[in-house]
Amino acid sequence: MKAVYQGNTPISKVYQGDVLIQDYTDVGANANEVPYIATYYVEPIVDLNDEIIISYYVTDYFQREYKEDDARERFTLDYWVGDSKRSMSNIKPGDNTINLGKLAVGKQLIALQVTDRRGRKSHRLFQEICVIDKIKDKGEQVVGTYQVTENDLKNFNIAANNTKPVETTKGLNEIIKFAAQKGYRKLVLPLGTYRIDENTGIKLERFNQFTLDLNGSTMKLNPNALAKCMMITIQDCYDCHVVNGIIEGDVREHDFANAPNSAEWVNAVTINGGSYNSFEDLQIKDVTGYGTSTMFGSDTIVGAAGGFGFALGDIVDGKWVDSTERYSSQNFVSLSDYRMDLKPPKEKYDYTRKGFFQLGAYLGYQGNVTDNWVYKATFYDGNKNYLTTIEGYAYRRLYVPKDAKFVRITLYSSLTPSSAITLFSIDMPLNCKFKNIYHKNIRAVGMAPTSFNNLLVEGCTFEECGYALAKCAFDAEDGWDMMQDLTFRKNKFTNNPHNNFLTCAGHNIIVEDNENIGMYFWERTRSYVVRNNVISLGGNYRYQSMTRTGYVRIQNNTNISPPQISLTDKQATLVIKNENYIHCTPYTRSNYVSENEGVKVVDSVFEYDPLKGVSGAPRYTQFIRCQFNNYKAYLSDESIYRQCIFNNALDLRLHGATKKQFIECQFNNCWMKAQGAMDAIFDKCKMVDMTLY
């Protein structure tokens, strides 16, 4: 029997009072198959008078509630506000919300975690929220606004007439720094065109609560032959913003003849590290490289690489126990380390000061370092006395508890641990956003975020982006597993010649309520969500396995062009629900279909215009409870139709020797032609005005 756990303690039976409610002595439940929890977008700044409501998703390890319509599991939700813990029982799988009520002013660390009926715990999911008095904050911004005058422009040697790039950029940086250090909350520029020096750029660095208001002005990059530069950077800041203007690159004037390499990195704006920062209400145009981006901050620490001493075993309540299912640290890993050969001792790493760490492969292509993303961290005080255990998730922040000095890691896997496993702490942009930005004529990628946690991209437009390099309007790629909790919503795409939306990796990428979008998800994108979009530029959904690609949800979209679906593992299952297909059909590339595996399209509607002729060729797909109206198609490759309804399907063509199955389907006013070699099964179907010839 495999171990069953109540929290961190192995058990075989679960009681409610004196009543035995679950007996696992012969079940063989796998202790490593823990539940999954994820949040939808968390509004990071809230008013002290507002109740904080968090939307989250929870499911069992196999995602049965979504993939199999099996919602019998129930969970206990534990949630923390700071050190205060509360619990709720009888949580159903799927989408849920929790109301935390009103919280005190200041930064609040929130955490959510679920436990299933077998006592198996999900990872603890952390989220920081800042509670403010919005009325007071708005008043402080009004009083604390610095209006740049013509005299200021003269005194700081700033030209607003598209000249003097070196002097203007130097002067802008000086006056921005002056205003921020004097405690001003906002600086407003006079309307004009400010030429930006390609060798310097504008930088907001380590500022708190500061807004640069361009006031409709244009920041124009000085034409150059460089391979790399950045026009405006928000670096390691807190609650800082650049708003209301035009950022114009030099793509029409760039000296490509003398530029080294491809000039891919001659870019517009970026958020590097920090928290609660944004670019908003901007037009970014004519950029040689990338338009908007995110990157790591400068405060990165790395330690404990290869020092874990992993061996088969588990740690329960701080003590080592035998196990053949998990690997654990034999060593007590220090949460802080100093180089004692320096005077005074210099910090090498200190996660107690930093407040959190991440576990995984440091940088590079990363990926899962075991066959399970969840692990647990057991913490000890300075005398190695046990304090507590927190379940974590690879690459996500795990916050260090008070008084902890040492940690031991337990991997939920029996695979030999990779030597790449490392503790590190990277400041990714936290709770940042790009909002209402019009990207136009961006030579490489319109937007390229490479690291983030709880990033919002909303109300943005992408036009004529990615036509020469990288060839995407939006591309989440090089951050790999440091890209977490992206909400991409209410955006538009137009006239982009190649990919519109591409993700090569990342966790919990939520794409919702977008218009005219097309998308490509590689299977390294884990647990992505696609919902409520109008997809008129095609889609490509790739899925490999629960271990690799995770808890994907695709639902409630309107498809005007056919999506492509690729399963790269024959035992994988990808389920698509409640879709509306207009004159198109999913094109499946898995080349297999079975009752329990493969691609399943559930509770969806297919609407066809009879004037447009034969459309689609459903292949290697299982359709469940779908409705096909005016459906006209070759049914040429193996598919299963289960409890489906065909209305006015006057040109169905059974073609090809591969088997088509119709199980408990209903045909209303349909014509179906058997064409050439064919193999079809009709089982318990109802036919009303059906012609088969």
Side-chain angles (χ1 to χ4, degrees):
M1 167 185 162
K2 294 183 177 180
V4 179
Y5 283 68
Q6 178 70 45
N8 295 300
T9 305
I11 61 168
S12 59
K13 298 181 180 181
V14 178
Y15 291 86
Q16 190 171 60
D18 295 329
V19 179
L20 177 67
I21 59 173
Q22 294 286 349
D23 186 343
Y24 298 112
T25 54
D26 59 350
V27 172
N30 188 335
N32 295 334
E33 293 174 349
V34 298
Y36 174 77
I37 186 170
T39 51
Y40 293 100
Y41 181 66
V42 177
E43 187 63 50
I45 300 179
V46 297
D47 186 73
L48 59 86
N49 295 308
D50 292 340
E51 294 183 332
I52 297 173
I53 299 175
I54 294 180
S55 299
Y56 67 95
Y57 173 78
V58 61
T59 189
D60 62 59
Y61 180 81
F62 295 102
Q63 203 182 10
R64 291 187 179 94
E65 123 287 335
Y66 181 83
K67 290 189 171 183
E68 303 172 19
D69 293 327
D70 182 354
R72 292 175 294 175
E73 182 63 85
R74 292 295 181 271
F75 303 92
T76 297
L77 173 70
D78 295 321
Y79 61 98
W80 291 259
V81 179
D83 294 328
S84 177
K85 176 185 175 183
R86 296 183 181 179
S87 299
M88 296 173 58
S89 59
N90 200 34
I91 302 298
K92 297 180 180 180
D95 291 339
N96 292 274
T97 60
I98 181 171
N99 190 333
L100 302 178
K102 300 175 183 179
L103 300 181
V105 170
K107 291 183 182 179
Q108 302 284 355
L109 184 62
I110 310 299
L112 304 177
Q113 185 174 35
V114 291
T115 305
D116 68 13
R117 289 181 292 186
R118 288 177 168 83
R120 297 174 295 192
K121 292 180 178 293
S122 73
H123 60 287
R124 193 180 301 186
L125 187 59
F126 294 94
Q127 175 62 44
E128 183 181 286
I129 294 174
C130 186
V131 181
I132 66 172
D133 183 336
K134 288 191 175 181
I135 295 177
K136 179 181 177 182
D137 186 75
K138 186 175 181 179
E140 290 176 350
Q141 287 192 43
V142 172
V143 173
T145 296
Y146 189 96
Q147 296 279 351
V148 177
T149 66
E150 292 299 324
N151 281 336
D152 289 325
L153 296 181
K154 182 178 179 180
N155 291 337
F156 283 89
N157 202 14
I158 299 169
N161 61 353
N162 199 22
T163 61
K164 299 168 44 177
V166 175
E167 298 86 347
T168 295
T169 305
K170 182 175 182 293
L172 286 171
N173 279 320
E174 287 175 347
I175 198 170
I176 290 169
K177 187 175 181 180
F178 164 80
Q181 290 179 342
K182 290 292 184 180
Y184 286 98
R185 295 287 302 276
K186 180 188 287 189
L187 182 142
V188 181
L189 289 176
L191 181 63
T193 298
Y194 300 86
R195 183 162 286 238
I196 303 303
D197 176 23
E198 68 274 23
N199 295 302
T200 306
I202 303 298
K203 181 174 285 190
L204 281 63
E205 186 170 15
R206 299 190 183 276
F207 293 171
N208 289 325
Q209 296 185 305
F210 184 81
T211 297
L212 172 60
D213 187 342
L214 302 183
N215 191 29
S217 295
T218 297
M219 296 289 182
K220 174 70 175 74
L221 181 63
N222 193 51
N224 61 83
L226 296 178
K228 180 179 181 180
C229 72
M230 184 68 68
M231 292 183 67
I232 305 179
T233 302
I234 300 177
Q235 175 81 39
D236 299 319
C237 291
Y238 167 70
D239 193 16
C240 289
H241 316 276
V242 177
V243 302
N244 189 24
I246 299 170
I247 315 295
E248 182 179 343
D250 74 329
V251 71
R252 301 180 190 278
E253 306 152 287
H254 196 80
D255 185 0
F256 290 105
N258 296 304
N261 302 319
S262 63
E264 180 178 355
W265 304 105
V266 180
N267 300 337
V269 305
T270 184
I271 301 173
N272 294 354
S275 57
Y276 304 90
N277 303 310
S278 74
F279 287 92
E280 301 183 52
D281 301 315
L282 299 168
Q283 183 181 158
I284 297 178
K285 66 178 185 178
D286 300 339
V287 178
T288 302
Y290 295 74
T292 46
S293 62
T294 66
M295 299 181 186
F296 300 147
S298 58
D299 190 9
T300 295
I301 58 176
V302 184
F308 300 96
F310 283 117
L312 278 172
D314 200 354
I315 300 173
V316 178
D317 296 331
K319 298 180 181 179
W320 187 275
V321 297
D322 292 335
S323 172
T324 59
E325 299 175 357
R326 294 176 172 176
Y327 271 88
S328 296
S329 308
Q330 297 179 96
N331 300 337
F332 290 77
V333 178
S334 174
L335 290 167
S336 60
D337 190 14
Y338 293 81
R339 288 189 57 187
M340 304 307 294
D341 58 324
L342 300 179
K343 303 293 183 182
K346 184 178 181 181
E347 176 186 310
K348 184 178 180 183
Y349 62 86
D350 187 352
Y351 301 117
T352 62
R353 175 192 63 81
K354 187 75 168 178
F356 67 89
F357 62 73
Q358 293 123 334
L359 179 139
Y362 178 65
L363 300 185
Y365 285 88
Q366 299 184 314
N368 194 0
V369 289
T370 71
D371 60 349
N372 198 323
W373 294 85
V374 181
Y375 67 96
K376 66 181 178 182
T378 303
F379 292 96
Y380 304 83
D381 66 14
N383 296 317
K384 299 181 180 177
N385 297 312
Y386 172 65
L387 292 174
T388 190
T389 299
I390 300 177
E391 289 74 19
Y393 198 96
Y395 301 101
R396 288 188 175 273
R397 288 187 177 194
L398 192 150
Y399 284 80
V400 176
K402 182 181 178 182
D403 299 327
K405 299 298 181 184
F406 295 94
V407 67
R408 298 165 84 185
I409 301 296
T410 297
L411 305 173
Y412 287 9
S413 172
S414 59
L415 296 181
T416 302
S418 167
S419 59
I421 296 177
T422 305
L423 291 185
F424 52 89
S425 182
I426 293 179
D427 275 318
M428 304 179 294
L430 172 69
N431 292 337
C432 295
K433 62 184 173 182
F434 296 105
K435 188 172 182 178
N436 299 334
I437 298 178
Y438 199 112
H439 303 76
K440 182 176 175 61
N441 190 30
I442 312 295
R443 179 170 168 262
V445 177
M447 182 178 292
T450 60
S451 62
F452 50 80
N453 185 275
N454 198 44
L455 175 68
L456 175 66
V457 179
E458 183 177 62
C460 295
T461 299
F462 300 86
E463 182 178 352
E464 299 173 7
C465 296
Y467 54 84
L469 296 168
K471 298 186 177 180
C472 296
F474 176 98
D475 181 11
E477 181 173 357
D478 287 341
W480 297 92
D481 292 289
M482 309 311 294
M483 300 183 292
Q484 302 158 6
D485 303 336
L486 165 69
T487 298
F488 188 89
R489 69 187 184 195
K490 299 180 181 178
N491 303 292
K492 298 179 182 179
F493 293 82
T494 180
N495 296 327
N496 302 292
H498 301 289
N499 284 325
N500 286 276
F501 181 97
L502 172 68
T503 69
C504 292
H507 296 253
N508 195 36
I509 308 298
I510 300 166
V511 182
E512 60 184 6
D513 301 316
N514 298 286
E515 296 182 24
N516 197 36
I517 192 172
M519 60 197 81
Y520 196 122
F521 288 91
W522 284 92
E523 55 268 70
R524 271 284 278 111
T525 311
R526 183 165 175 80
S527 304
Y528 58 87
V529 180
V530 181
R531 61 182 188 176
N532 305 324
N533 301 283
V534 177
I535 304 172
S536 57
L537 301 171
N540 197 313
Y541 308 120
R542 297 176 67 95
Y543 189 94
Q544 182 167 338
S545 66
M546 184 63 71
T547 298
R548 184 173 175 86
T549 313
Y551 303 88
V552 171
R553 284 152 281 153
I554 302 169
Q555 54 194 15
N556 301 314
N557 300 288
T558 296
N559 299 271
I560 300 176
S561 62
Q564 236 182 62
I565 305 167
S566 302
L567 300 187
T568 53
D569 186 319
K570 190 171 183 178
Q571 282 69 50
T573 302
L574 181 64
V575 177
I576 300 173
K577 289 186 174 183
N578 302 110
E579 299 279 279
N580 187 23
Y581 295 90
I582 299 176
H583 200 60
C584 67
T585 303
Y587 183 80
T588 300
R589 300 178 62 89
S590 63
N591 296 338
Y592 72 94
V593 62
S594 69
E595 181 177 351
N596 299 315
E597 297 162 348
V599 175
K600 298 180 182 180
V601 180
V602 181
D603 295 325
S604 298
V605 177
F606 295 78
E607 300 280 353
Y608 280 82
D609 182 348
L611 299 178
K612 293 184 178 179
V614 177
S615 295
R619 46 178 285 164
Y620 304 110
T621 303
Q622 184 173 180
F623 299 92
I624 302 173
R625 299 188 302 274
C626 292
Q627 183 169 313
F628 300 85
N629 299 323
N630 303 312
Y631 194 60
K632 307 179 71 170
Y634 285 98
L635 306 180
S636 57
D637 286 309
E638 186 171 354
S639 291
I640 300 174
Y641 299 84
R642 193 180 302 273
Q643 297 178 340
C644 294
I645 298 175
F646 293 81
N647 293 316
N648 301 314
L650 300 180
D651 195 3
L652 293 174
R653 305 181 187 184
L654 297 176
H655 179 69
T658 54
K659 184 186 297 183
K660 278 73 65 178
Q661 300 180 61
F662 301 89
I663 303 169
E664 298 181 7
C665 294
Q666 181 169 331
F667 296 86
N668 300 317
N669 187 29
C670 297
W671 289 58
M672 181 177 290
K673 182 177 182 180
Q675 186 169 338
M678 54 82 67
D679 185 357
I681 295 175
F682 296 86
D683 183 8
K684 299 178 183 178
C685 294
K686 182 178 181 180
M687 300 182 179
V688 180
D689 293 331
M690 171 72 170
T691 301
L692 181 64
Y693 66 100

